[in-house]
Amino acid sequence: RDRGVIEQVVFAPADGPLRRAYEDAGMPVQVLGHPLAGVGTAADYDAAIDRFATWVEAQRVAVVYGNTLQTFYAIDAAHRLGVPAIWNPRESEPWQDYFRQFPDAVAARALGCYEKGYRVVFVAHATARACAALDTRHNFTVVHNGLDRARLAAGTAGADRAGARTELGLARDDLALLLLGTVCERKGQHDFARALARLDHLVAARVRAFIVGDRPSAYSLALHALVDALPAERRRRVEIVAETEDVGRHFLAADAFVCTSRVESYPRVILEAMAFGLPIV
């Protein structure tokens, strides 16, 4: 967009903090509610897709891009309009039951969208292979997630490791472990808490653990309970940090990065940890 290659309009089914970021960059966002709200039958689905296709057509777009599998409705609407669509799955759950939250008739239509995209762009070869049975039109391809290292470096400009460790209260011999990502079942932070409970006591005496990305949920409450159940000496060496954009100092201060995600496809946080030169578990 900054190079003048594309002009875009962003559709979102719900509002959130990224809306301001898009709009500050001159990218219009329309929040219109989920197109499939209340849909339960094939007839309901067809009517909902027709309505969404009418909106898409009014935007006079040349290409539709669907980010994550949850946007299958955009791919279907584009297909009905004869507009090319690029679908970008970022999940790696088994396709056989990924859409189980929808009624069977809708789930079947969602699976049919794999053959309707001009390209289905996966971010990892392993995920593409897992969906190979759906590649009936040979339209699958892989483009790995990228990372703008200059932008990443700008986020920590003027900071250094020593200062970051001081800010986080780390002693010279502390071994700082960083687990970064939204606290939720899919990202498996409970496993990290259970692993801390099983550490050898000599190792545990050196470890400082930072779980960054907490947000209110039942899973978060259970995570806090697991940490609170640790022996007092270990418990005081674990910090659960709320969601924040200020993650640079944690990367700078860390000695190792931990990823406990159950189902991820080439996670961005792994790229970020690599960029900061951290060993990764």
Side-chain angles (χ1 to χ4, degrees):
R1 179 260 179 199
D2 289 344
R3 293 196 303 269
V5 177
I6 63 170
E7 182 179 352
Q8 72 294 305
V9 59
V10 178
F11 165 81
D15 211 344
L18 276 179
R19 180 178 187 173
R20 175 68 180 273
Y22 272 112
E23 291 176 343
D24 286 349
M27 303 181 190
V29 177
Q30 296 201 35
V31 180
L32 302 175
H34 201 292
L36 301 183
V39 168
T41 67
D44 291 340
Y45 176 84
D46 287 335
I49 295 300
D50 284 341
R51 287 192 297 271
F52 188 70
T54 298
W55 177 84
V56 172
E57 188 174 32
Q59 310 312 305
R60 302 179 65 184
V61 298
V63 177
V64 169
Y65 166 76
N67 187 36
T68 79
L69 289 175
Q70 292 293 316
T71 60
F72 65 89
Y73 54 83
I75 308 306
D76 208 349
H79 183 260
R80 296 187 185 205
L81 294 171
V83 174
I86 298 171
W87 198 13
N88 193 186
R90 296 176 177 275
E91 304 88 339
S92 63
E93 289 94 329
W95 62 265
Q96 290 87 345
D97 57 6
Y98 177 81
F99 296 107
R100 63 185 179 278
Q101 74 267 37
F102 295 102
D104 289 348
V106 177
R109 300 296 182 90
L111 289 173
C113 289
Y114 279 93
E115 66 179 22
K116 294 178 178 178
Y118 168 72
R119 287 290 184 272
V120 180
V121 182
F122 295 90
V123 295
H125 288 288
T127 309
R129 285 195 298 270
C131 296
L134 300 175
D135 190 13
T136 56
R137 288 188 55 241
H138 306 289
N139 58 340
F140 285 15
T141 191
V142 174
V143 178
H144 291 136
N145 285 328
L147 191 68
D148 186 336
R149 296 190 67 176
R151 179 186 293 179
L152 191 68
T156 55
D160 59 23
R161 176 174 169 80
R165 288 179 69 87
T166 298
E167 286 184 27
L168 295 177
L170 290 164
R172 180 177 179 179
D173 293 332
D174 282 342
L175 180 67
L177 302 181
L178 172 60
L179 173 55
L180 174 66
T182 303
V183 170
C184 61
E185 185 173 5
R186 180 167 56 87
K187 295 188 182 295
Q189 287 92 348
H190 289 187
D191 292 350
F192 188 43
R194 294 188 180 102
L196 293 172
R198 299 180 64 174
L199 281 179
D200 176 86
H201 70 280
L202 292 177
V203 177
R206 288 189 57 209
V207 164
R208 286 285 305 281
F210 295 90
I211 303 173
V212 181
D214 196 22
R215 66 163 58 168
S217 70
Y219 189 83
S220 170
L221 290 173
L223 174 65
H224 282 266
L226 285 170
V227 172
D228 289 343
L230 294 172
E233 178 61 23
R234 297 190 187 199
R235 185 170 64 247
R236 73 174 186 85
R237 299 180 70 83
V238 181
E239 186 173 344
I240 301 177
V241 182
E243 287 182 313
T244 174
E245 294 182 9
D246 182 23
V247 298
R249 63 176 180 167
H250 287 92
F251 274 119
L252 286 173
D255 293 293
F257 188 84
V258 180
C259 181
T260 54
S261 289
R262 307 289 183 87
V263 280
E264 294 282 0
S265 191
Y266 210 85
R268 179 186 172 88
V269 289
I270 292 295
L271 290 178
E272 292 174 344
M274 292 168 66
F276 279 96
L278 295 176
I280 299 166
V281 179

